[in-house]
Amino acid sequence: MACKRGALIVLEGVDRAGKTTQCKKLLEALQRSGRPAEMMRFPDRTTTIGKLISAYLENKSDLEDHTVHLLFSANRWEMVPLMKKKLEQGTTLVVDRYAFSGVAFTSAKPGFCLDWCKSPDVGLPQPDLVMFLQLSPSEAALRGQFGEERYEKSDFQRAVQNKFQQLMKDRSVHWQVINASQSVEDVHKDIMTHSLNAINLAQNQALAELWK
Ligand code: ADP
Ligand code: 2DT
């Protein structure tokens, strides 16, 4: 019998919500419990496309808005063969940002609608679980200043948060809102519970396609 597939688990949320902290803790906990798991993040700045994106985010280059949106999407598509292989081999993937960040950030710019922004990502591997780490702007501010990167401005981040709220109305995606204002350990406990459920369910389900 073919081995049971791994789950595709995504963490989304505003800047400083704790995504990276929690992805690492989830990965360690899964590995400690003997479950094969690996972490990925988008954008993946290590590839040729990722380096273009990274220079843009660091304000070292300018790119036209549609163009950079398509590059972010291409940066996911270039990872799809590897993601599918890992999932089929039974490895659970813990992913820091995915297509939802792609849509939320570009559609927060003037002149972009949600549907146009979603279209290049239609058909990507469908996450088994997307956890949205919910944190108010005032609580995020207590966790430190914004960095120097292009999107790290409070007005823009508020617009992005609204776009995430719109995306979360879509019932074709398994969203789970997590209260990110709790302690690191309490957030981790919530994330672990939802992840173990998703891993169990995914074992017997075929991988679906996002927004199709
Ligand atoms: P993100 O990846 O969402 O931007 P990070 O995981 O990098 O967020 O965390 C941003 C900052 O907030 C870091 O300094 C981190 O140590 C801190 N942090 C993360 N989770 C919590 C928490 N639950 N409570 C307080 N501080 C936190
Ligand atoms: P971090 O590397 O700190 O997460 O910041 N973004 C991300 C987009 O605009 N489109 C996307 O498709 C993705 C995945 C969010 C990366 C920044 O890039 C934004 C913040």
Side-chain angles (χ1 to χ4, degrees), residues 13-22 41 96-97 133 143 180-184 187:
V14 292
D15 201 59
R16 292 164 295 170
K19 298 178 294 300
T20 305
T21 305
Q22 293 298 334
R41 66 176 309 137
D96 190 342
R97 295 193 190 274
L133 273 59
R143 295 188 182 173
S181 67
Q182 306 174 88
S183 70
V184 170
V187 176

Side-chain angles (χ1 to χ4, degrees), residues 124-159:
L124 280 177
Q126 159 101 302
D128 297 291
L129 173 64
V130 188
M131 285 176 280
F132 185 78
L133 273 59
Q134 185 93 269
L135 191 72
S136 68
S138 54
E139 285 171 299
L142 295 175
R143 295 188 182 173
Q145 302 296 310
F146 280 118
E148 297 287 300
E149 290 209 331
R150 190 176 284 265
Y151 295 141
E152 296 178 336
K153 297 181 186 82
S154 52
D155 283 358
F156 189 68
Q157 293 277 332
R158 257 194 302 279

Side-chain angles (χ1 to χ4, degrees), residues 187-205:
V187 176
H188 171 64
K189 274 188 208 147
D190 282 358
I191 286 179
M192 194 64 184
T193 304
H194 293 299
S195 300
L196 292 178
N197 282 338
I199 289 168
N200 284 336
L201 287 173
Q203 283 183 348
N204 303 308
Q205 281 172 3

Side-chain angles (χ1 to χ4, degrees), residues 12-146:
E12 289 279 11
V14 292
D15 201 59
R16 292 164 295 170
K19 298 178 294 300
T20 305
T21 305
Q22 293 298 334
C23 279
K24 288 181 182 160
K25 283 187 76 72
L26 175 60
L27 180 72
E28 283 161 16
L30 293 176
Q31 288 175 339
R32 258 201 320 273
S33 69
R35 294 174 176 87
E38 289 183 27
M39 187 173 155
M40 301 181 80
R41 66 176 309 137
F42 292 109
D44 178 336
R45 302 188 192 214
T46 65
T47 69
T48 304
I49 294 169
K51 288 186 179 115
L52 292 173
I53 294 170
S54 189
Y56 170 82
L57 289 172
E58 291 170 11
N59 291 306
K60 291 180 178 157
S61 71
D62 282 322
L63 288 166
E64 192 276 330
D65 288 329
H66 299 79
T67 311
V68 76
H69 182 74
L70 297 173
L71 287 176
F72 273 112
S73 177
N75 184 233
R76 286 182 278 281
W77 279 107
E78 65 179 334
M79 292 300 162
V80 167
L82 181 65
M83 292 171 77
K84 285 187 170 167
K85 189 172 144 209
K86 300 262 182 207
L87 292 168
E88 278 158 17
Q89 286 170 345
T91 301
T92 285
L93 297 178
V94 175
V95 184
D96 190 342
R97 295 193 190 274
Y98 197 52
F100 313 99
S101 277
V103 175
F105 277 75
T106 303
S107 65
K109 296 179 178 179
F112 285 88
C113 69
L114 231 46
D115 279 346
W116 187 88
C117 293
K118 282 161 86 172
S119 52
D121 285 318
V122 169
L124 280 177
Q126 159 101 302
D128 297 291
L129 173 64
V130 188
M131 285 176 280
F132 185 78
L133 273 59
Q134 185 93 269
L135 191 72
S136 68
S138 54
E139 285 171 299
L142 295 175
R143 295 188 182 173
Q145 302 296 310
F146 280 118

